[in-house]
Amino acid sequence: MGEVLLSIFAGFIVGMLFSAIKLPIPAPPVLSGVMGIVGVYLGGISYQWIIERFFTG
């Protein structure tokens, strides 16, 4: 849980910094973009789980 809070805080600071220097936010500006990132993460986790579950002896 600490890692999650730390990453939210870091993202908040980065978002504020980018806005202050008038740069586009370095993240997808819509929910579908964020869900795409979540999907990539879940795909990577699922791949590791499948490999460990079915292909390691």
Side-chain angles (χ1 to χ4, degrees), residues 8-56:
I8 289 172
F9 178 72
F12 181 79
I13 296 300
V14 169
M16 288 184 66
L17 178 65
F18 272 61
S19 292
I21 58 178
K22 309 236 186 296
L23 289 174
I25 297 172
V30 293
L31 182 59
S32 59
V34 174
M35 293 288 87
I37 292 171
V38 170
V40 169
Y41 173 75
L42 292 176
I45 296 297
S46 298
Y47 174 79
Q48 291 298 321
W49 181 82
I50 290 168
I51 294 298
E52 290 173 5
R53 176 104 168 131
F54 297 109
F55 298 106
T56 37

